[in-house]
Amino acid sequence: TKARIGVAGLAVMGRNLARNLARHGHTVALYNRTPTRTRALVEEYGHEGAFVPADDPAAFVASLERPRRVVIMVKAGQSTDAVIEEFAALLDQGDMIVDGGNAHFEDTRRREAALRERGIHFVGAGISGGEEGALNGPSIMPGGSAESYVFLGPLLEDIAAKAADGSPCCAHIGPDGAGHFVKMVHNGIEYADMQLIAEAYDLLRHVAGYRPDEIAGIFRTWNTGRLDSYLIEITAEVLAHTDAATGQPFVDVVADRAEQKGTGRWTVQTALDLGVPVSGIAEAVFARSLSGHAGLRQAARSLPGPSGGALPPESGGFAAQVEQALYASKVVSYAQGWNMIDAAAVEYGWDIDPGAVAAIWRGGCIIRAAFLDRIRAAFAADPALPTLLADKEFAAEVGGAQEDWRAVVGTAVARGVPAPGFSAALAYYDALRAERLPAALTQGQRDYFGAHTYRRTDREGSFHTLWGGGREERPTG
Ligand code: NBP
């Protein structure tokens, strides 16, 4: 019997995806450059389903039913190009290569275009949920042609996580790089969520004076409400954990340097190119970078802070205010993320269903949360929603939270506790609702030093003022 699908690249992610497919009753062809990995998989997990191991790419391809479905799970970058080339040479028109690695969407666009010329479908599929997700149900974001999804969709939906309503956390996102793009934004939002949670912790700890185990309790309570999410849940676990060696709270013995693998940075770089403000994600990426600048931090350690004594918070009330600030800031960063997806859809000609993206993030991935069903519903009610903040329900909630949100940002400032995520989100909220922005002055400055011209509020056309002369105004077009 031929295999329905093949997985090439059997490190932790590929191995788990192959097992997931086999556990769902699909016969899976296996190939890995180093054959010991292939053998180990069959020896340890062969009883879980039907595997067809192969020692070389040709045998692997020959074992697949047509049209062939090849999932590659190798290191992103040049390895991916090398493996694609190796398989493309062995495949026929109509066959499919799925790249489930963490590729940059521009690489995916390039690869898709090149393979399309050769009649091969190339599907960049974002896969979220880490190794545990790959085994038990990830969130899957496939791009590529709609035609390829006819053949791949049923298998991918089979192995994907299921949302609370039973629907699979997998949907065709859009052509070429759309899947990897959306996965990148997912990771950016994940950075923002983590930063906002960290700020909430910092304020509860250093303003309200709660111990980490008490904060774990507060997070557990929050996890029963509108903030119910995987990240809040694991935050409580991390905060409640005690270091075995020292008996100290675990969070106190971990070096305060947050690392990054680069998808948050990609999100911000891309947002800059698209001209979309994603300040929540940007502040999160910057906060991680700042944490790692040991020399800078050391050099600034003796700079003065507030004299203290300001605003002793009422502990119970303060925690509730922080919940409001966290929730409102979270809505802002998700609103920004969806604006980015929207802008890319226009830029690259993708027709992305914003509600479907929310729907497939409800399970399997790191940002999975009850909250995402609310976003799905908001776009179901109005697919052309210009910002999540304009949705009636989110607007009411954020509007209801804003006084507390301001109080928390004010307290953070008064106490000298950095809260870049909370404050950037609030500034974004205030900028969006402003009747007039000081951008009018910025444009005036640009006209002064560079004759960049300006538009007027009362007349059509563009104008320039002769700043160096008599300051007459001239129409310029
Ligand atoms: P790695 O990213 O560590 O890659 C190892 C695999 O790539 C091995 O199977 C290795 O074969 C193969 N490989 C390399 Br490296 N160069 C190759 C080449 N030139 N030809 C053939 N095979 C080559 O594996 P991973 O950690 O399982 O991750 C796989 C992908 O999934 C990556 O893109 C990664 O970024 C992504 N990922 C995603 C998540 C997530 O949560 N979504 C988590 C972790 C990883 P060998 O055995 O012969 O060396």
Side-chain angles (χ1 to χ4, degrees):
T1 60
K2 297 242 170 185
R4 292 204 73 194
I5 189 163
V7 180
L10 301 173
V12 55
M13 290 295 290
R15 181 185 63 201
N16 283 358
L17 270 188
R19 290 174 60 198
N20 189 349
L21 282 159
R23 286 172 173 192
H24 280 85
H26 306 293
T27 304
V28 187
L30 302 174
Y31 169 72
N32 192 69
R33 179 181 60 182
T34 310
T36 45
R37 280 200 208 270
T38 316
R39 281 189 212 117
L41 198 169
V42 175
E43 268 162 37
E44 281 175 65
Y45 306 107
H47 61 278
E48 291 183 344
F51 295 106
V52 184
D55 276 350
D56 62 81
F60 171 82
V61 167
S63 73
L64 290 167
E65 66 180 45
R66 290 168 184 266
R68 303 182 183 99
R69 289 170 276 225
V70 175
V71 178
I72 59 174
M73 285 306 282
V74 301
K75 208 167 143 163
Q78 282 175 357
S79 298
T80 301
D81 279 312
V83 175
I84 289 170
E85 197 39 55
E86 195 164 35
F87 285 110
L90 297 164
L91 295 175
D92 293 322
Q93 296 234 341
D95 289 345
M96 288 153 263
I97 297 179
V98 180
D99 174 17
N102 273 337
H104 191 284
F105 77 99
E106 291 283 16
D107 285 332
T108 302
R109 284 168 56 76
R110 167 177 61 76
R111 291 165 182 154
E112 195 275 340
L115 288 177
R116 192 172 353 118
E117 295 267 296
R118 298 159 73 171
I120 295 168
H121 296 283
F122 182 71
V123 175
I127 301 185
S128 178
E131 41 180 301
E132 206 274 335
L135 183 60
N136 297 315
S139 174
I140 310 180
M141 295 148 255
S145 67
E147 201 186 332
S148 64
Y149 196 75
V150 173
F151 294 99
L152 290 165
L155 279 95
L156 298 180
E157 290 180 15
D158 237 14
I159 63 164
K162 303 297 176 291
D165 67 3
S167 51
C169 294
C170 172
H172 182 234
I173 302 294
D176 58 80
H180 274 138
F181 183 92
V182 161
K183 168 63 164 51
M184 175 185 77
V185 175
H186 164 283
N187 285 29
I189 290 175
E190 173 187 315
Y191 274 58
D193 260 343
M194 291 170 70
Q195 173 64 21
L196 295 173
I197 292 171
E199 290 177 21
Y201 152 76
D202 206 18
L203 288 163
L204 291 170
R205 183 95 191 256
H206 297 113
V207 173
Y210 288 111
R211 296 188 313 266
D213 62 317
E214 292 172 323
I215 302 173
I218 293 170
F219 275 75
R220 285 197 186 104
T221 311
W222 289 356
N223 204 36
T224 63
R226 59 188 177 171
L227 284 168
D228 174 6
S229 61
Y230 172 72
L231 279 171
I232 293 281
E233 178 193 325
I234 66 159
T235 303
E237 294 293 316
V238 174
L239 286 172
H241 183 56
T242 302
D243 175 53
T246 60
Q248 296 293 307
F250 168 78
V251 71
D252 288 350
V253 300
V254 177
D256 61 347
R257 281 191 311 271
E259 295 171 4
Q260 46 186 320
K261 288 214 282 191
T263 41
R265 185 171 60 233
W266 285 355
T267 313
V268 179
Q269 285 168 334
T270 306
L272 290 172
D273 290 338
L274 289 168
V276 182
V278 291
S279 45
I281 301 169
E283 290 296 349
V285 174
F286 288 146
R288 288 198 196 185
S289 329
L290 187 149
S291 77
H293 281 283
L296 209 54
R297 292 175 63 190
Q298 186 55 42
R301 187 125 316 147
S302 57
L303 291 176
S307 47
L311 311 170
E314 248 186 80
S315 304
F318 186 66
Q321 287 186 320
V322 172
E323 193 269 350
Q324 298 274 20
L326 174 54
Y327 185 78
S329 303
K330 180 180 170 89
V331 174
V332 165
S333 65
Y334 281 67
Q336 294 178 338
W338 257 271
N339 282 149
M340 188 169 167
I341 292 173
D342 215 31
V346 172
E347 174 75 18
Y348 299 108
W350 298 331
D351 183 17
I352 299 183
D353 173 355
V357 173
I360 66 170
W361 289 349
R362 289 178 299 174
C365 62
I366 305 299
I367 66 169
R368 62 184 180 259
F371 179 70
L372 283 152
D373 197 53
R374 311 262 321 275
I375 299 181
R376 183 202 55 74
F379 285 113
D382 180 4
L385 201 59
T387 165
L388 276 181
L389 290 164
D391 170 72
K392 233 170 67 203
E393 283 187 29
F394 283 123
E397 281 182 308
V398 174
Q402 56 113 17
E403 295 288 0
D404 284 337
W405 190 10
R406 293 180 196 288
V408 168
V409 171
T411 302
V413 171
R415 290 298 190 90
V417 176
F422 286 1
S423 42
L426 181 56
Y428 178 85
Y429 172 83
D430 281 334
L432 281 195
R433 40 166 226 99
E435 168 119 22
R436 290 275 298 159
L437 289 170
L441 178 59
T442 310
Q443 195 59 20
Q445 292 165 323
R446 297 184 72 243
D447 189 60
Y448 189 105
F449 66 67
H452 292 302
T453 78
Y454 51 88
R455 296 191 173 267
R456 297 183 56 98
T457 56
D458 55 354
R459 267 181 280 145
E460 288 296 307
S462 55
F463 303 88
H464 169 56
T465 288
L466 301 171
W467 296 101
R471 308 215 160 169
E472 305 91 355
E473 181 174 84
R474 293 279 155 81
T476 59

